[in-house]
Amino acid sequence: HQEDNAKLKSVTIGFQAGDEFDIAKSRGQFAKKMEKKGYKVKFKEFQNGAAMMQALATGNVDYARVGDTPPVSALAAGTKLTYVAAGGTKEKGSGIIVKKNSGINSLKDLKGKRVAYTKGTSSQYMLLRALRKAGLGVDDIKWVNLDQDAAAVAYSKDKVDAWANWDPTVAQVELTENSKLLVNGKQTGAVNRSFIVSPAKFAKNHRSLSRLIIKYGEQDMHWANTHHAKVIKLMVKDLKLSKNVVQLAVKRRVFGIYKMNDEYAKEEQKIANTFYQSGILNKQVTISKHVDYLK
Amino acid sequence: MSDASVLNKKKFSLQGIIPWIIPLAIILFWQLVVSIGWVSSSVLPSPLEVLKDGIDLTIKGELPQNMSISLYRATVGFVIGGGIGFVLGFINGLSKVARLTFDSTVQMLRNIPHLALIPLVILLMGIGEPAKIFLVAIGCMFPMYINTYHGITSVDHKIIEMGKAYGLNRSAMIRKIIFPAALPTILMGVRYALGVMWTTLIVAETISASSGIGYMSTNAEQFMDMKTIVLCILIYALLGKLSDFIAKNLEIIFLDWRG
Amino acid sequence: MSDASVLNKKKFSLQGIIPWIIPLAIILFWQLVVSIGWVSSSVLPSPLEVLKDGIDLTIKGELPQNMSISLYRATVGFVIGGGIGFVLGFINGLSKVARLTFDSTVQMLRNIPHLALIPLVILLMGIGEPAKIFLVAIGCMFPMYINTYHGITSVDHKIIEMGKAYGLNRSAMIRKIIFPAALPTILMGVRYALGVMWTTLIVAETISASSGIGYMSTNAEQFMDMKTIVLCILIYALLGKLSDFIAKNLEIIFLDWRG
Amino acid sequence: MTANILMTIRDISKVYGQHIVLKNVDLDVYHHEFLALVGKSGGGKSTLLRLIAGLEQPNNGEIKQSDRLIEKTNDKARMMFQEDRLLPWMSVLDNITFASKNTQAQKEAKNLLDLVGLTEYADVYPTKLSGGQKQRLALARALFAHPDLLLLDEPLGALDALTRRNMQDLIIKVCQKKQITTILVTHDINEAVRMANRIVLIKDQGIKEVFENPYQGINTTEAKEKRALIADDILEKILN
Amino acid sequence: MTANILMTIRDISKVYGQHIVLKNVDLDVYHHEFLALVGKSGGGKSTLLRLIAGLEQPNNGEIKQSDRLIEKTNDKARMMFQEDRLLPWMSVLDNITFASKNTQAQKEAKNLLDLVGLTEYADVYPTKLSGGQKQRLALARALFAHPDLLLLDEPLGALDALTRRNMQDLIIKVCQKKQITTILVTHDINEAVRMANRIVLIKDQGIKEVFENPYQGINTTEAKEKRALIADDILEKILN
Ligand SMILES: Nc1ncnc2c1ncn2[C@@H]1O[C@H](COP(=O)(O)OP(=O)(O)OP(=O)(O)O)[C@@H](O)[C@H]1O
Ligand SMILES: Nc1ncnc2c1ncn2[C@@H]1O[C@H](COP(=O)(O)OP(=O)(O)OP(=O)(O)O)[C@@H](O)[C@H]1O
Ligand SMILES: [Mg+2]
Ligand SMILES: [Mg+2]
C-alpha cells in the first residue's frame, strides 16, 4: 500500500554507545545508503534506555535501539510503541559476576548475599530468572540497586558480593577484578536481546522505511561479525575501554538486526510476565499486540 | 515591612490567596492541555490522575513511608552539613590564615556535581545510610559556608571597631556583634541549604536505596511512571514552599530588630 | 581588606601558594592510597594516570572539544537564566504585588531537582540543544533570583528615603541607589549561579548528548572509565576555581568603594 | 497675606505606637521666609520635617504646599537629614549631583564644593571624610537642589565655630539667591536668631510659641542686641 | 610631676595616602585630668583619639599609657565615637550593658538611662530614637564603662541647650566619681572651658597651643568671667 510519502526527508535514530547503530554510524555506510533512498539519518545518543523511551514517547526519535526491558516498562506505562526489529543477544556476555575468591560457586551460594543490579534494566530480569532457576525466593538475596559506576566501586570494594550486568562491563570486571561469570544469560534464559522500537503511529505509517533500516542495518551487522578487528578498534576508541576487554566482549557477541518473530516476542512477553508477577510493573502487557512482523 | 503591619484583615486573606494564583493557573492549564489532548495522558497525566496516584500511594502507605525516611535523611544531612558549613564559614570569615588555607579548596569542591561524586562517596562511605546522609550533608554544607563566610566578612567595620573600643573579647565580639550582624546573610544560607537538602536527596537515593522520595522519583523515571514522576515534582514543589515558610519564619523570629 | 593592601611582595607570593596546600595534600594522599594498594587503580586511578588521561584526551582533541561545547551551553544558559532570575528578582524586590504573585511560585520551583525535571524538559523542549540550555538556565535562574530579590529588599531604608527626598524618579532611584546598594548581594548570586551553571550541565548533558564535559562524565560512568570520571571531577574543581576567580574580580571591580 | 503663604499645616498629629509625638499642630509657612525650629531633643522636630517632606503621613490633619495636599513624597521640597545619609559608592562630587539630570550642573557642584571647603576631596569616596566634612558634603548636596522649600535638620551640628559661621552665611546666601523658603532645625538658639526671621518653639507635643525676628540679617550693634534679647526670651521659654 | 602622667604622646605623625593629618605631635595627659581638644573640622581631632584608642597606628612616634606602648586596641581606654555606632539588634538597655560581664550592672545601666533621660525607652530598639536620643544613649554607654581613660568625640553635638548643659554636668560628675581621665573633643569653646582643666588647640597638623583653665568647676562670677576670657583667647587663636 502507499505509505512513505515523499516529503519525509529526515529520520531520527536513538542509540547508545557501543550498540548496533553505533557501529553503523561509525562505519558510515548506513547513512550513505539511506541518503540514496532520500532519507537523512540523524543519530541521537542516549545514556540510558529510560531516557530514550521518554524521547520516543514525546516523538523526539523515530527509531530507538534499546535493551529488552525498557520497551516493556514503557508499554506498561502506556507508551504507544511498536517493536519493528530485534537485535542480537549478549547471552554469553551478560549474567552475574562474582570474585573468583568469593566462595560463591553456584547460584545457591547467593543466598543471603548482596547483589548489585540496576532497577528497570535487564539486570533486574536476569537476577529474577537466576533466582528462579536456583530455586531461591526473591527475598533470599539482598538487592542492591546501583548505577553502573557506583556498582563498580561497590563491587570492587566488596560492598556487594555479586553483580548482575552485561558486556562490556562484565568483560572488564572479569579481566580487572579477578572475577568470573557465575551464570550467563544463556543459562538463565535472560538472553539480553536488543530491540528497535518506534512510536506506534510512525511504525504503522513507515513500514517500508523500517524495512530499509533492517536491511541496511543487517548489512552492517554482517560486516561487524566478519570484521571483528575493525569493530574492536572502533569500540576501543568509542568506549575508551582497553583492547582486551573489548576483544572479549566482541568475540562472544553476535551482531544482528532481524525482523521481529514470535520467538523474540515471547522473550519479551516473559519479561513482561516476570515483572508483573514480581510487582515491578503494575500492568500486564501483551507484547504481540505491539509487534510489527514485517514481511 | 512596616506597611504590611497596618494592613487590615481583609487584605491579609487576599495576601494569602495571591501567591497561589500562578500555581493554580499552571495546574488548570495543565489539566486543559491534557483534556483537549494536546499531549496524551501517558506522556503527561492530568492533575487529577496525579492526585489519584498520590492518594493511592498514601493509602498504601508507600508515600508517607518514603517521605518520612527522606525527611530523616534530609534533616540529619542538613544538620551535619549545615553545621560544618557554618563552622567552616565562621572560622574562615574570622581568620585570614584559615581563609587563605581553606576557602579556595571549598570553592573548588562546591563546584563538583553530586552525581559525579557518587563513586567517591561509595569508596569512602560504602552504600549504606551514611553514604546518603553524607551526600546531603555535602550539599547543605556549601551554601551555609558561602553565606556564613560572606556574612561575616561583610560586617560593618565601624561596629566591630566600636566593640574593640569597648573591650569586647573575641568570644563576646562574636556573640554580640559579628554573629547578629551576619545573621541576615546566614539565614539566607539556611534558605539555600533547605532547598539543596531536598535536591541532593534525589542523587543520594540512587545509592542502593529502596525507599525515600528521591528513590521514588528515579524509580518512576526508570519505569516511565509519569504519574509518579509528576507527583514527585509536585511534592518537591510543596517541600520548597515548606522550606520557604521555615526560612521566612526564622527571619521573622531572629531579625525582628530589622522591623 | 585594607590590611591586604599593605602586604609586601613576599607575603603576596606566599598568599598565592597557601590556597593550593590542601588540594596538593589531597592529591598526594590520593597517590599514596593508590600506591600502597589500599584501592585498586581500576577503582581509583592514581593522579598520574588521570593526568595522562587528561593529556591524551587533550591531544586527541576530545577534551578541548567537549569543554568548548560545554562552555557554550553553560554561558548561554547562564546568560539567559541569570538574566531572567535577575529581572524577576528585581521586579519582585521592587513591587509588592509582583512579590506576592511570583515569589512563592519561584520558591516552589527552585526546589525541584533538575534530575526530576528531565522528563518535563524533554516534553517541553525536545532533546536538542535548547533542552540542555534550558536546564542550565533554570539552574542559574534561581540563585540570581534569590540574591537579587534579597539584595533589593535589604537596601537600607534610610538612603532610599534620602533618594525620595531628593526627588529621584523610579529609574534614577534604581540606577543610583537600589542597584548599587544591592550589588554586593547580587554578585554573591552570580557566584552561586556560576557554580550551578557547571553542576546542571552534568544533568543537562544526559539528554541525548554526544558531547560536552557532562556527557564525557556520564559516559565514562556507563563504562566505568574511572580515569575519565576522576578527570571530570578535577575539571569541575578547576572550573570552580575559575568561577571563584571571576566572582572575586567582579567584586573587586564593582565594589571598589567598599575599600 | 494668604496669597503669600507657601505651606499650611492644619491640626496635624503624629503618633508612634502609644507615643504621641505631635498633637494638633497648626503652622503657616510664608514664601521666601527663613524659619527656624527649636526645641528639646526628642521633641518632634525631625518628625515635623519628615511630615512636611511627605516621608511620613500624619495620623490626623493635613499639610498643603501651594494648595496641594502632601500625600506622598513632597516633590517641591528637599531635605538635609540629621544623619548624613551619603552614598558610599559615589565620589564626593557625585554625591552632590546624583539627583540632577543637568550635565551643566557639574560646575555649580564644584563651586559648592569649594564653598563648603571640600575642593580637594571631589574624587574620593565619602568614607574618607571626617565627621564635619561629611556634614558639609550633605549640606552642599542640599544647597545644590532647587526646591521651593528646603528642610535642614541640624545641618551644622558637627562643625567648629568658624566653619559653622561660614556655613551659616553660605546657607543664607544660597537660599536668598535661589529664593528658597527654608526651615531649619537647630539646637543653637544664637544660630536660630542669626539666620531665621521667625523662630518656632516646639514643646509639649506642639508649637509653644512663634517668635518674630525682624532683626535677621541686619548687622548693626542694635540689631545684634535685639537678637540677643530674643534669644534669651526663647531660651527661657525652653527651660520653663 | 612625671609620676602623675597617665599618657605620653611622643612625636607621632599620621598620614592617609598623600594627606598628612598629624605631624610630630607631643602631648602628656595627666591622671584624672579633663582635657578638651578643639580645632577646625577635618583638623585631625578624631584621628588623634583613634590613635590614642589604639584603633589606628601612627606612621611615626609612639603613644604610651601607664608606660605601656599602645600597639593594638587600647584596653584601658573607652571611646564614644562621633557617630553613634549603636547595635540595632539590641535593646536600648542592652546597648549600654553589652560589654559588661557583671550582671549586677543592670542597675547602674538603668540609673544612667534615667540620667540621660531615656528611662521609658529601655526596651525598644535604638532605631526608634531621635538623633539626640541616640547620642545620649551612646553617651550612657560610654559613661557606663570603667576605663582609665575616656575618649569622647563630640558627645553632645546633637543636643539642645538645656539637655546639653545637663549632660555636661553628668559627664563631669561621673568622671570625677569614677576617677576617670577624660579627653573630650568639642566644637563648642564654651563647653570646653566649662568642662576641661586644659584645652588643646589642634591646628596645622599639630598642637598649636595648650590652654590651662584653673577655673574649671568653680561657680563664682569671677571664675565665669575668666573662663569667658580664655574662651575668647582660644577662639581668636582658631580664627587666625
Ligand atoms: N580613612 C581615611 N582615609 C583617608 N583620609 C582620612 C581617613 N580618615 C580621616 N581622613 C582625613 O583625615 C583628616 C582628619 O580627619 P579627622 O576625622 O581626624 O578630623 P576631625 O578633626 O575629627 O574633624 P571633624 O571635626 O570634622 O570631625 C580629614 O581631612 C580626613 O579627610
Ligand atoms: N520610627 C519611630 N518609631 C517610634 N518612635 C519614634 C520613631 N521616630 C521617632 N520616634 C520618637 O518620636 C519622638 C520625636 O522624635 P524626633 O526625631 O522628631 O525628635 P527631634 O525633635 O528631632 O529630636 P532630636 O533633637 O533629638 O533629633 C522621639 O521621642 C522618638 O523616640
Ligand atoms: Mg531630630
Ligand atoms: Mg571628628
Side-chain angles (χ1 to χ4, degrees), chain B residues 79-97:
Chain B
V79 169
I80 296 175
I84 294 174
F86 176 75
V87 170
L88 211 61
F90 225 100
I91 294 171
N92 285 10
L94 293 174
S95 147
K96 189 154 184 182
V97 176

Side-chain angles (χ1 to χ4, degrees), chain D residues 130-132, chain E residues 45-47 82 153-154 185:
Chain D
S130 81
Chain E
K45 303 180 294 298
S46 298
T47 304
Q82 198 164 3
D153 197 350
E154 287 272 348
V185 171

Side-chain angles (χ1 to χ4, degrees), chain D residues 45-46 82 153-154 185, chain E residues 130-132:
Chain D
K45 305 181 292 297
S46 299
Q82 198 165 5
D153 197 350
E154 288 272 349
V185 170
Chain E
S130 81

